[in-house]
Amino acid sequence: MKRIILVVAGAGLSAVVVSPVPRGAEKITFKSGTETGSGLLVTPEGKGPFPAVIVIQEWWGLDDWVKDQARALAKDGYVALAVDLYRGKVTNKQEEAHQFMMGLPPEQATSDLKAAYAFLSARPDVKKDRIGAIGWCMGGRYTLALATEEPKLAAAVPYYGAPPTEAAAIAKIQAPVLGNYGGDDKGPSPDQVKAFEAEMKKAGKSVDIKIYDGAPHAFANPNNPWGGYREAAAKDAWARSTAFLAKNLKK
């Protein structure tokens, strides 16, 4: 089995993560503007063409949990591309994660995600009009950001990611949106999420938001270091998400 050794670079940062590549997966690169993006591509069995999902990391980086979500989606019949927005940096320390997230230029992240969409749409085993995106935390925010930038995105599933607030940005969203949020989350708060939902409906957009009572931020990840995992909410949110993706990408 191949192994990827990810070294966190930068002054004062020394986290090293050794992570196995899942079976049926490969580390790939793609052109992102004048730079090179990368990610983990997991493909389902069979010839295809298949629908596809862009999988967007939390602030920890492209860690094993995110890879597991990509692998689960591939088993469900999707070509899944988990984009490495930090380009090799991974951590399990909150201080470093915050530093990585704040150091990620939004334009670089958006460029990488749009390039990932183009990479998938160019593959012969992918249905070009059936590409969606799913992301958690920071990745939830970038899922919605991608939806504002890529009009052909066919589905968007943000988990507790800060939604856009400007009417102009919401007006650009063409993909149907399904969101999973925590009732005890402070960022974004339930009020912020409800405001986004109201603006989406006002603009005539397709939106389905569920706020889980008693669930904090990052409730879907059992590795949540502050003990925020909520099993019932996580299972329900995943069931909602996979049903939504199937409805919009497998039809």
Side-chain angles (χ1 to χ4, degrees):
M1 178 177 287
K2 295 181 180 178
R3 306 212 306 170
I4 300 174
I5 300 179
L6 304 173
V7 180
V8 179
L13 304 179
S14 58
V16 177
V17 177
V18 180
S19 176
V21 175
R23 276 187 80 179
E26 60 178 319
K27 185 176 181 181
I28 56 92
T29 60
F30 48 84
K31 190 74 172 176
S32 178
T34 59
E35 301 182 14
T36 300
S38 64
L40 186 75
L41 183 74
V42 192
T43 55
E45 295 182 0
K47 292 182 179 180
F50 307 99
V53 180
I54 298 168
V55 181
I56 311 178
Q57 67 186 57
E58 296 178 286
W59 70 344
W60 311 110
L62 185 54
D63 61 11
D64 287 344
W65 186 80
V66 177
K67 294 175 185 177
D68 284 344
Q69 311 318 300
R71 181 163 46 186
L73 288 165
K75 287 181 179 179
D76 202 21
Y78 301 94
V79 174
L81 175 54
V83 182
D84 187 356
L85 293 180
Y86 292 163
R87 298 182 178 177
K89 295 183 290 187
V90 181
T91 186
N92 57 8
K93 298 179 175 62
Q94 294 186 56
E95 297 80 5
E96 288 180 345
H98 182 262
Q99 194 170 356
F100 293 163
M101 182 180 69
M102 298 304 294
L104 176 64
E107 61 274 12
Q108 175 184 304
T110 302
S111 175
D112 283 359
L113 294 172
K114 291 176 69 176
Y117 180 94
F119 173 87
L120 288 172
S121 65
R123 289 180 60 89
D125 61 347
V126 168
K127 295 181 179 179
K128 296 171 176 50
D129 60 345
R130 295 290 184 267
I131 302 174
I134 185 171
W136 299 263
C137 186
M138 179 188 85
R141 174 165 60 89
Y142 278 116
T143 295
L144 291 170
L146 178 61
T148 68
E149 295 290 334
E150 180 46 69
K152 294 182 180 180
L153 192 71
V157 182
Y159 275 70
Y160 32 80
T165 57
E166 296 181 359
I170 292 172
K172 292 169 65 177
I173 296 175
Q174 300 301 316
V177 174
L178 179 136
N180 302 301
Y181 291 86
D184 287 352
D185 201 344
K186 301 297 190 294
S189 69
D191 286 344
Q192 290 173 303
V193 175
K194 290 175 183 177
F196 168 69
E197 181 181 30
E199 287 301 315
M200 284 281 287
K201 290 180 177 178
K202 181 179 177 181
K205 307 297 182 179
S206 175
V207 61
D208 179 356
I209 299 292
K210 185 168 183 176
I211 299 174
Y212 290 88
D213 291 340
H217 192 77
F219 65 80
N221 189 341
N223 302 319
N224 184 334
W226 49 82
Y229 177 61
R230 298 293 184 270
E231 183 178 6
K235 288 182 176 180
D236 184 78
W238 185 251
R240 274 169 40 84
S241 300
T242 53
F244 176 80
L245 290 172
K247 175 184 176 182
N248 289 282
L249 303 183
K250 291 185 176 181
K251 61 184 180 181

